[in-house]
Coordinates of all heavy atoms in Angstrom, one line a residue:
M1 N -12.8 -72.4 -16.1 CA -12.2 -71.1 -16.4 C -11.3 -70.6 -15.3 O -11.6 -70.7 -14.1 CB -13.2 -70.0 -16.7 CG -12.7 -68.9 -17.5 SD -14.0 -67.6 -17.8 CE -13.1 -66.1 -17.7
S2 N -10.1 -70.2 -15.7 CA -9.1 -69.8 -14.7 C -9.4 -68.4 -14.2 O -10.1 -67.6 -14.9 CB -7.7 -70.0 -15.2 OG -7.6 -69.1 -16.4
M3 N -8.8 -68.0 -13.2 CA -8.9 -66.6 -12.7 C -8.3 -65.6 -13.7 O -7.2 -65.9 -14.3 CB -8.1 -66.5 -11.4 CG -8.8 -67.0 -10.1 SD -9.8 -65.7 -9.3 CE -8.5 -64.7 -8.7
P4 N -8.9 -64.5 -13.9 CA -8.4 -63.5 -14.8 C -7.1 -62.9 -14.2 O -7.0 -62.8 -13.0 CB -9.5 -62.5 -15.0 CG -10.3 -62.6 -13.8 CD -10.2 -64.1 -13.3
F5 N -6.2 -62.5 -15.0 CA -5.0 -61.9 -14.5 C -5.3 -60.5 -14.1 O -6.2 -59.8 -14.7 CB -3.9 -61.9 -15.6 CG -3.4 -63.3 -15.9 CD1 -3.7 -63.9 -17.1 CD2 -2.8 -64.1 -15.0 CE1 -3.3 -65.2 -17.5 CE2 -2.4 -65.4 -15.3 CZ -2.6 -65.9 -16.5
P6 N -4.6 -59.9 -13.2 CA -4.9 -58.5 -12.8 C -4.5 -57.6 -14.0 O -3.5 -57.8 -14.7 CB -4.0 -58.3 -11.6 CG -3.0 -59.3 -11.6 CD -3.6 -60.5 -12.3
I7 N -5.3 -56.6 -14.2 CA -5.1 -55.6 -15.3 C -4.2 -54.5 -14.7 O -4.6 -53.9 -13.8 CB -6.4 -55.1 -15.9 CG1 -7.2 -56.2 -16.5 CG2 -6.1 -54.0 -17.0 CD1 -6.6 -56.9 -17.6
K8 N -3.1 -54.3 -15.4 CA -2.2 -53.2 -15.0 C -2.1 -52.2 -16.1 O -2.4 -52.5 -17.3 CB -0.8 -53.7 -14.7 CG -0.8 -54.7 -13.5 CD -0.7 -53.9 -12.2 CE -0.5 -54.8 -11.0 NZ -0.4 -54.1 -9.8
V9 N -1.7 -51.0 -15.8 CA -1.4 -49.9 -16.8 C 0.1 -49.8 -16.9 O 0.8 -49.6 -15.9 CB -2.1 -48.6 -16.4 CG1 -1.7 -47.5 -17.4 CG2 -3.6 -48.8 -16.3
C10 N 0.5 -49.9 -18.1 CA 2.0 -49.8 -18.4 C 2.5 -48.4 -18.0 O 1.9 -47.4 -18.3 CB 2.2 -50.1 -19.9 SG 4.0 -49.9 -20.3
A11 N 3.6 -48.4 -17.3 CA 4.2 -47.2 -16.9 C 4.9 -46.4 -18.1 O 5.2 -45.3 -18.0 CB 5.3 -47.4 -15.8
I12 N 5.1 -47.1 -19.2 CA 5.8 -46.5 -20.3 C 4.8 -46.0 -21.3 O 4.9 -44.8 -21.7 CB 6.8 -47.6 -21.0 CG1 7.7 -48.2 -19.9 CG2 7.5 -46.9 -22.1 CD1 8.7 -47.2 -19.3
C13 N 3.9 -46.9 -21.8 CA 3.0 -46.5 -22.9 C 1.6 -46.3 -22.4 O 0.7 -45.9 -23.2 CB 3.1 -47.5 -24.0 SG 2.4 -49.1 -23.6
S14 N 1.3 -46.5 -21.1 CA 0.0 -46.3 -20.6 C -1.1 -47.2 -21.1 O -2.3 -47.0 -21.0 CB -0.5 -44.8 -20.8 OG 0.4 -43.9 -20.2
E15 N -0.7 -48.3 -21.8 CA -1.6 -49.3 -22.3 C -1.9 -50.3 -21.1 O -1.1 -50.6 -20.3 CB -1.0 -50.1 -23.4 CG -0.8 -49.3 -24.7 CD -2.2 -49.1 -25.4 OE1 -3.0 -50.0 -25.3 OE2 -2.4 -48.0 -26.0
E16 N -3.2 -50.8 -21.1 CA -3.5 -51.8 -20.1 C -3.0 -53.1 -20.6 O -3.0 -53.4 -21.8 CB -5.0 -51.8 -20.0 CG -5.6 -50.6 -19.2 CD -7.1 -50.8 -18.9 OE1 -7.7 -51.7 -19.5 OE2 -7.6 -50.0 -18.1
F17 N -2.6 -53.9 -19.6 CA -2.1 -55.3 -20.0 C -2.4 -56.2 -18.8 O -2.6 -55.7 -17.7 CB -0.6 -55.3 -20.3 CG 0.3 -54.9 -19.2 CD1 0.9 -55.9 -18.4 CD2 0.5 -53.6 -18.8 CE1 1.7 -55.6 -17.4 CE2 1.3 -53.3 -17.7 CZ 1.9 -54.3 -17.0
E18 N -2.5 -57.5 -19.1 CA -2.7 -58.5 -18.1 C -1.3 -58.8 -17.5 O -0.3 -59.1 -18.1 CB -3.2 -59.8 -18.7 CG -4.7 -59.6 -19.1 CD -5.3 -60.9 -19.6 OE1 -4.4 -61.8 -20.1 OE2 -6.5 -61.1 -19.6
L19 N -1.3 -58.7 -16.2 CA 0.0 -59.0 -15.5 C 0.0 -60.5 -15.2 O -0.6 -61.0 -14.2 CB 0.1 -58.3 -14.1 CG 1.3 -58.6 -13.3 CD1 2.6 -58.2 -14.1 CD2 1.3 -57.8 -12.0
K20 N 0.6 -61.3 -16.1 CA 0.7 -62.7 -16.0 C 1.9 -63.0 -15.1 O 2.9 -62.3 -15.1 CB 0.8 -63.4 -17.4 CG -0.4 -63.1 -18.2 CD -0.3 -63.7 -19.6 CE -1.5 -63.4 -20.4 NZ -1.4 -63.9 -21.8
P21 N 1.8 -64.1 -14.3 CA 2.9 -64.5 -13.4 C 4.2 -64.7 -14.1 O 5.3 -64.5 -13.6 CB 2.4 -65.8 -12.8 CG 0.9 -65.8 -12.9 CD 0.6 -65.0 -14.2
D22 N 4.1 -65.2 -15.4 CA 5.3 -65.6 -16.1 C 5.8 -64.4 -17.0 O 6.7 -64.6 -17.9 CB 5.2 -66.9 -16.9 CG 4.1 -66.7 -17.9 OD1 3.3 -65.8 -17.9 OD2 4.0 -67.6 -18.8
K23 N 5.1 -63.3 -16.9 CA 5.5 -62.2 -17.8 C 7.0 -61.7 -17.5 O 7.3 -61.4 -16.3 CB 4.6 -61.0 -17.6 CG 4.8 -59.9 -18.6 CD 4.0 -58.6 -18.3 CE 4.8 -57.7 -17.4 NZ 6.1 -57.3 -18.0
P24 N 7.8 -61.6 -18.5 CA 9.2 -61.2 -18.2 C 9.2 -59.7 -18.0 O 8.3 -59.0 -18.4 CB 9.9 -61.6 -19.5 CG 8.9 -61.6 -20.5 CD 7.6 -62.0 -19.9
G25 N 10.3 -59.2 -17.4 CA 10.5 -57.8 -17.3 C 9.8 -57.2 -16.1 O 9.3 -57.9 -15.2
F26 N 9.6 -55.9 -16.1 CA 9.0 -55.2 -14.9 C 7.5 -55.5 -14.8 O 6.8 -55.6 -15.8 CB 9.3 -53.7 -15.0 CG 10.7 -53.3 -14.9 CD1 11.4 -53.1 -16.1 CD2 11.3 -53.2 -13.7 CE1 12.8 -52.8 -16.0 CE2 12.7 -52.9 -13.6 CZ 13.4 -52.7 -14.8
A27 N 7.0 -55.5 -13.6 CA 5.6 -55.7 -13.3 C 4.7 -54.5 -13.8 O 3.5 -54.7 -14.0 CB 5.3 -56.0 -11.9
N28 N 5.3 -53.3 -13.9 CA 4.5 -52.1 -14.3 C 4.7 -51.8 -15.7 O 4.5 -50.6 -16.1 CB 4.8 -51.0 -13.3 CG 6.3 -50.5 -13.5 OD1 7.1 -51.3 -14.0 ND2 6.6 -49.4 -13.0
R29 N 5.2 -52.7 -16.5 CA 5.4 -52.5 -17.9 C 4.7 -53.6 -18.7 O 4.8 -54.7 -18.4 CB 6.9 -52.5 -18.3 CG 7.7 -51.3 -17.7 CD 9.1 -51.3 -18.2 NE 9.9 -50.3 -17.5 CZ 11.1 -50.0 -17.8 NH1 11.7 -50.6 -18.8 NH2 11.7 -49.0 -17.2
C30 N 4.1 -53.2 -19.9 CA 3.4 -54.2 -20.7 C 4.5 -55.0 -21.4 O 5.7 -54.6 -21.4 CB 2.6 -53.5 -21.7 SG 3.5 -52.6 -23.0
P31 N 4.1 -56.2 -22.0 CA 5.1 -57.0 -22.6 C 5.9 -56.3 -23.7 O 7.1 -56.5 -23.8 CB 4.2 -58.1 -23.2 CG 3.0 -58.2 -22.4 CD 2.8 -56.8 -21.9
E32 N 5.3 -55.4 -24.5 CA 6.0 -54.7 -25.5 C 7.1 -53.8 -25.0 O 8.2 -53.8 -25.5 CB 5.0 -53.8 -26.3 CG 4.2 -54.6 -27.3 CD 3.0 -55.2 -26.7 OE1 2.7 -54.9 -25.5 OE2 2.4 -56.1 -27.3
C33 N 6.8 -53.1 -23.8 CA 7.8 -52.2 -23.3 C 8.8 -53.0 -22.4 O 9.8 -52.4 -21.9 CB 7.1 -51.2 -22.4 SG 6.1 -50.1 -23.5
S34 N 8.6 -54.3 -22.2 CA 9.5 -55.1 -21.4 C 10.6 -55.6 -22.2 O 11.6 -56.1 -21.7 CB 8.8 -56.2 -20.7 OG 7.8 -55.7 -19.8
V35 N 10.5 -55.6 -23.6 CA 11.5 -56.1 -24.4 C 12.7 -55.2 -24.3 O 12.7 -54.0 -24.6 CB 11.0 -56.2 -25.9 CG1 12.1 -56.7 -26.8 CG2 9.7 -57.0 -26.0
P36 N 13.8 -55.8 -23.9 CA 15.1 -55.0 -23.7 C 15.8 -54.7 -25.1 O 16.7 -55.3 -25.4 CB 15.9 -55.9 -22.8 CG 15.5 -57.3 -23.2 CD 14.1 -57.2 -23.6
D37 N 15.2 -53.8 -25.8 CA 15.8 -53.5 -27.1 C 16.4 -52.1 -27.3 O 16.9 -51.8 -28.3 CB 14.7 -53.7 -28.2 CG 13.6 -52.7 -28.0 OD1 13.5 -52.0 -27.0 OD2 12.7 -52.5 -28.9
A38 N 16.4 -51.4 -26.2 CA 16.9 -50.0 -26.3 C 18.4 -49.9 -26.6 O 18.7 -49.2 -27.5 CB 16.6 -49.3 -25.0
P39 N 19.3 -50.7 -26.0 CA 20.7 -50.6 -26.4 C 21.0 -51.0 -27.8 O 21.7 -50.3 -28.5 CB 21.4 -51.5 -25.4 CG 20.4 -51.7 -24.3 CD 19.0 -51.6 -24.9
T40 N 20.3 -52.1 -28.3 CA 20.6 -52.5 -29.6 C 20.0 -51.5 -30.6 O 20.6 -51.3 -31.7 CB 20.0 -53.9 -29.9 OG1 18.6 -53.9 -29.5 CG2 20.7 -55.0 -29.1
D41 N 18.9 -50.9 -30.2 CA 18.3 -49.8 -31.1 C 19.3 -48.7 -31.3 O 19.6 -48.3 -32.4 CB 17.0 -49.3 -30.4 CG 15.8 -49.8 -31.1 OD1 15.9 -50.8 -31.8 OD2 14.7 -49.2 -30.9
A42 N 19.8 -48.2 -30.1 CA 20.8 -47.1 -30.2 C 22.0 -47.5 -31.0 O 22.5 -46.7 -31.8 CB 21.2 -46.7 -28.8
E43 N 22.4 -48.7 -30.8 CA 23.6 -49.2 -31.5 C 23.3 -49.3 -33.0 O 24.1 -48.8 -33.8 CB 24.0 -50.6 -31.0 CG 25.1 -51.3 -31.7 CD 26.4 -50.5 -31.5 OE1 26.5 -49.8 -30.4 OE2 27.3 -50.6 -32.3
A44 N 22.2 -49.8 -33.4 CA 21.8 -49.9 -34.8 C 21.7 -48.5 -35.4 O 22.1 -48.2 -36.5 CB 20.5 -50.6 -35.0
R45 N 21.1 -47.6 -34.6 CA 20.9 -46.2 -35.1 C 22.3 -45.5 -35.4 O 22.5 -44.9 -36.4 CB 20.1 -45.4 -34.1 CG 19.5 -44.2 -34.8 CD 18.2 -43.7 -34.0 NE 18.3 -43.9 -32.6 CZ 17.4 -44.6 -31.9 NH1 16.4 -45.1 -32.5 NH2 17.5 -44.7 -30.6
R46 N 23.2 -45.8 -34.4 CA 24.5 -45.2 -34.6 C 25.2 -45.7 -35.8 O 25.9 -45.0 -36.6 CB 25.3 -45.5 -33.3 CG 26.5 -44.6 -33.1 CD 27.0 -44.5 -31.7 NE 27.1 -45.8 -31.1 CZ 26.5 -46.1 -29.9 NH1 25.7 -45.3 -29.3 NH2 26.7 -47.3 -29.4
R47 N 25.1 -47.1 -36.0 CA 25.7 -47.7 -37.2 C 25.1 -47.1 -38.5 O 25.8 -46.9 -39.4 CB 25.5 -49.2 -37.1 CG 26.6 -49.9 -37.8 CD 26.8 -51.4 -37.4 NE 25.5 -52.0 -37.0 CZ 25.3 -52.6 -35.8 NH1 26.3 -52.7 -35.0 NH2 24.1 -53.1 -35.6
M48 N 23.8 -47.0 -38.5 CA 23.1 -46.5 -39.7 C 23.6 -45.0 -40.0 O 23.8 -44.7 -41.1 CB 21.6 -46.5 -39.4 CG 20.8 -46.5 -40.7 SD 19.1 -47.0 -40.4 CE 18.6 -45.6 -39.4
D49 N 23.7 -44.2 -38.9 CA 24.2 -42.8 -39.1 C 25.5 -42.8 -39.7 O 25.8 -42.0 -40.6 CB 24.3 -42.1 -37.7 CG 22.9 -41.6 -37.3 OD1 21.9 -41.8 -38.1 OD2 22.8 -41.1 -36.2
A50 N 26.4 -43.7 -39.3 CA 27.8 -43.7 -39.8 C 27.7 -44.1 -41.3 O 28.4 -43.5 -42.2 CB 28.6 -44.7 -39.1
D51 N 26.9 -45.1 -41.6 CA 26.7 -45.5 -43.0 C 26.1 -44.4 -43.9 O 26.6 -44.2 -45.0 CB 25.8 -46.8 -43.1 CG 26.5 -48.0 -42.7 OD1 27.7 -48.0 -42.5 OD2 25.9 -49.1 -42.6
E52 N 25.2 -43.7 -43.3 CA 24.5 -42.6 -44.0 C 25.5 -41.5 -44.3 O 25.6 -41.0 -45.4 CB 23.4 -42.0 -43.1 CG 22.0 -42.1 -43.8 CD 20.9 -41.8 -42.8 OE1 20.8 -40.6 -42.5 OE2 20.2 -42.7 -42.4
R53 N 26.3 -41.2 -43.3 CA 27.3 -40.1 -43.5 C 28.3 -40.5 -44.6 O 28.7 -39.7 -45.4 CB 28.1 -39.9 -42.1 CG 27.4 -38.8 -41.3 CD 28.4 -38.3 -40.3 NE 28.7 -39.3 -39.3 CZ 28.0 -39.6 -38.2 NH1 26.9 -39.0 -38.0 NH2 28.3 -40.6 -37.4
K54 N 28.7 -41.8 -44.5 CA 29.6 -42.3 -45.5 C 29.0 -42.2 -46.9 O 29.7 -41.8 -47.9 CB 30.0 -43.7 -45.2 CG 31.2 -44.3 -46.0 CD 31.7 -45.6 -45.3 CE 32.7 -46.3 -46.2 NZ 32.0 -47.0 -47.3
A55 N 27.8 -42.6 -47.0 CA 27.1 -42.6 -48.3 C 26.9 -41.1 -48.8 O 27.1 -40.9 -50.0 CB 25.7 -43.2 -48.2
T56 N 26.6 -40.2 -47.9 CA 26.5 -38.8 -48.3 C 27.8 -38.3 -48.7 O 27.9 -37.6 -49.7 CB 26.0 -38.0 -47.1 OG1 24.8 -38.6 -46.6 CG2 25.8 -36.6 -47.4
A57 N 28.9 -38.6 -48.0 CA 30.2 -38.2 -48.4 C 30.6 -38.7 -49.8 O 31.1 -38.0 -50.6 CB 31.3 -38.6 -47.4
E58 N 30.3 -40.0 -50.0 CA 30.6 -40.5 -51.4 C 29.7 -39.9 -52.5 O 30.2 -39.6 -53.5 CB 30.3 -42.0 -51.3 CG 31.4 -42.8 -50.6 CD 31.0 -44.3 -50.4 OE1 29.9 -44.7 -50.8 OE2 31.9 -45.0 -49.7
A59 N 28.5 -39.6 -52.1 CA 27.6 -38.9 -53.1 C 28.1 -37.5 -53.4 O 28.2 -37.1 -54.6 CB 26.2 -38.8 -52.6
N60 N 28.6 -36.8 -52.4 CA 29.1 -35.5 -52.6 C 30.4 -35.5 -53.4 O 30.6 -34.7 -54.3 CB 29.5 -34.8 -51.2 CG 28.2 -34.3 -50.5 OD1 27.2 -34.2 -51.1 ND2 28.3 -34.1 -49.2
E61 N 31.2 -36.5 -53.1 CA 32.5 -36.7 -53.9 C 32.1 -37.0 -55.4 O 32.8 -36.4 -56.3 CB 33.3 -37.8 -53.3 CG 34.6 -38.1 -54.0 CD 35.4 -36.8 -54.2 OE1 35.5 -36.0 -53.2 OE2 36.1 -36.7 -55.2
A62 N 31.1 -37.8 -55.6 CA 30.8 -38.2 -56.9 C 30.2 -37.0 -57.7 O 30.5 -36.7 -58.8 CB 29.7 -39.3 -56.9
R63 N 29.4 -36.1 -56.9 CA 28.9 -34.9 -57.6 C 30.0 -33.9 -57.9 O 30.0 -33.3 -59.0 CB 27.8 -34.3 -56.6 CG 27.0 -33.2 -57.3 CD 25.8 -32.9 -56.5 NE 26.1 -32.5 -55.2 CZ 25.5 -33.0 -54.1 NH1 24.5 -33.8 -54.2 NH2 25.8 -32.6 -52.9
R64 N 30.9 -33.8 -57.0 CA 32.1 -32.9 -57.2 C 32.9 -33.3 -58.4 O 33.2 -32.5 -59.3 CB 33.0 -32.9 -56.0 CG 32.7 -31.7 -55.0 CD 33.8 -31.4 -54.1 NE 34.1 -32.6 -53.3 CZ 33.6 -32.9 -52.1 NH1 32.6 -32.0 -51.6 NH2 33.9 -33.9 -51.4
S65 N 33.1 -34.6 -58.5 CA 33.9 -35.0 -59.7 C 33.1 -34.9 -61.0 O 33.7 -34.6 -62.0 CB 34.4 -36.5 -59.5 OG 33.3 -37.4 -59.5
A66 N 31.8 -35.1 -60.9 CA 31.0 -34.9 -62.1 C 31.0 -33.5 -62.5 O 31.1 -33.2 -63.7 CB 29.5 -35.4 -61.8
I67 N 30.9 -32.6 -61.6 CA 31.0 -31.1 -61.9 C 32.3 -30.8 -62.5 O 32.5 -30.0 -63.4 CB 30.6 -30.3 -60.7 CG1 29.2 -30.4 -60.3 CG2 31.0 -28.8 -60.9 CD1 28.8 -29.9 -58.9
R68 N 33.4 -31.4 -61.9 CA 34.7 -31.1 -62.4 C 34.9 -31.6 -63.8 O 35.4 -30.8 -64.7 CB 35.7 -31.9 -61.5 CG 37.0 -31.1 -61.3 CD 37.8 -31.5 -60.0 NE 37.7 -32.9 -59.7 CZ 37.4 -33.4 -58.5 NH1 37.3 -32.5 -57.5 NH2 37.4 -34.7 -58.2
D69 N 34.3 -32.7 -64.1 CA 34.4 -33.3 -65.5 C 33.6 -32.3 -66.4 O 34.1 -32.0 -67.5 CB 33.7 -34.6 -65.5 CG 34.6 -35.7 -64.9 OD1 35.8 -35.4 -64.6 OD2 34.1 -36.8 -64.8
L70 N 32.5 -31.8 -65.9 CA 31.7 -30.9 -66.8 C 32.4 -29.7 -67.1 O 32.5 -29.2 -68.2 CB 30.4 -30.6 -66.0 CG 29.1 -30.4 -66.8 CD1 28.7 -31.7 -67.5 CD2 28.0 -29.9 -65.9
L71 N 33.0 -29.1 -66.0 CA 33.8 -27.8 -66.2 C 35.0 -28.0 -67.1 O 35.3 -27.2 -68.0 CB 34.2 -27.3 -64.9 CG 33.1 -26.8 -63.9 CD1 33.7 -26.4 -62.6 CD2 32.4 -25.6 -64.6
Y72 N 35.6 -29.2 -66.9 CA 36.8 -29.4 -67.7 C 36.5 -29.6 -69.2 O 37.1 -29.1 -70.0 CB 37.5 -30.7 -67.1 CG 38.7 -31.1 -67.9 CD1 39.9 -30.4 -67.7 CD2 38.7 -32.2 -68.8 CE1 41.0 -30.8 -68.4 CE2 39.8 -32.5 -69.5 CZ 41.0 -31.8 -69.3 OH 42.1 -32.2 -70.0
R73 N 35.3 -30.3 -69.4 CA 34.9 -30.5 -70.8 C 34.5 -29.2 -71.4 O 34.8 -29.0 -72.6 CB 33.7 -31.5 -70.8 CG 34.0 -32.7 -71.7 CD 32.8 -33.7 -71.6 NE 32.9 -34.6 -70.5 CZ 31.8 -34.8 -69.7 NH1 30.7 -34.2 -69.8 NH2 32.0 -35.6 -68.6
K74 N 33.9 -28.3 -70.6 CA 33.5 -27.0 -71.2 C 34.7 -26.2 -71.5 O 34.7 -25.4 -72.5 CB 32.6 -26.3 -70.1 CG 31.5 -25.5 -70.8 CD 30.8 -24.5 -69.9 CE 30.0 -25.2 -68.7 NZ 29.3 -24.2 -67.9
D75 N 35.7 -26.3 -70.7 CA 36.9 -25.5 -70.9 C 37.7 -25.9 -72.2 O 38.2 -25.1 -72.9 CB 37.9 -25.6 -69.7 CG 37.4 -24.7 -68.6 OD1 36.5 -23.9 -68.8 OD2 37.9 -24.8 -67.5
S76 N 37.7 -27.2 -72.4 CA 38.5 -27.7 -73.5 C 37.9 -27.6 -74.9 O 36.7 -27.4 -75.0 CB 39.0 -29.1 -73.2 OG 37.9 -29.9 -73.1
Ligands
ZN101 ZN1 3.9 -50.4 -22.6

């Protein structure tokens, strides 16, 4: 049996993890928190927001034209 790895507490999520010699990222972060996904996350979120705004604008436009049709039909 090999030597156990030292147990560290993650500086980000406070979870205990084994500090393995080949662990990527910071020594005081668990493997989950070492994954460099923050920039892509923000990028994806920004892109989703833009899509959402576009979808909302299209939905509003569709509703407006539907109401316009309704009013027009009622008038005639
Ligand atoms: Zn963590």
Side-chain angles (χ1 to χ4, degrees):
M1 199 181 144
S2 59
M3 281 269 294
F5 296 111
I7 301 296
K8 296 279 188 179
V9 175
C10 175
I12 306 297
C13 66
S14 300
E15 289 285 328
E16 287 186 348
F17 66 97
E18 287 182 336
L19 180 59
K20 297 178 182 177
D22 60 346
K23 189 191 87 61
F26 295 99
N28 63 344
R29 293 186 187 185
C30 70
E32 282 79 12
C33 294
S34 295
V35 178
D37 62 350
T40 51
D41 255 19
E43 178 64 27
R45 201 156 33 233
R46 198 156 50 233
R47 206 162 30 235
M48 203 166 65
D49 279 357
D51 282 353
E52 240 169 72
R53 268 197 297 276
K54 190 164 171 282
T56 304
E58 282 170 3
N60 284 342
E61 178 55 38
R63 193 164 55 226
R64 262 199 302 274
S65 66
I67 290 169
R68 212 156 39 225
D69 286 353
L70 212 68
L71 293 174
Y72 179 77
R73 236 178 278 130
K74 216 194 291 185
D75 279 351
S76 59

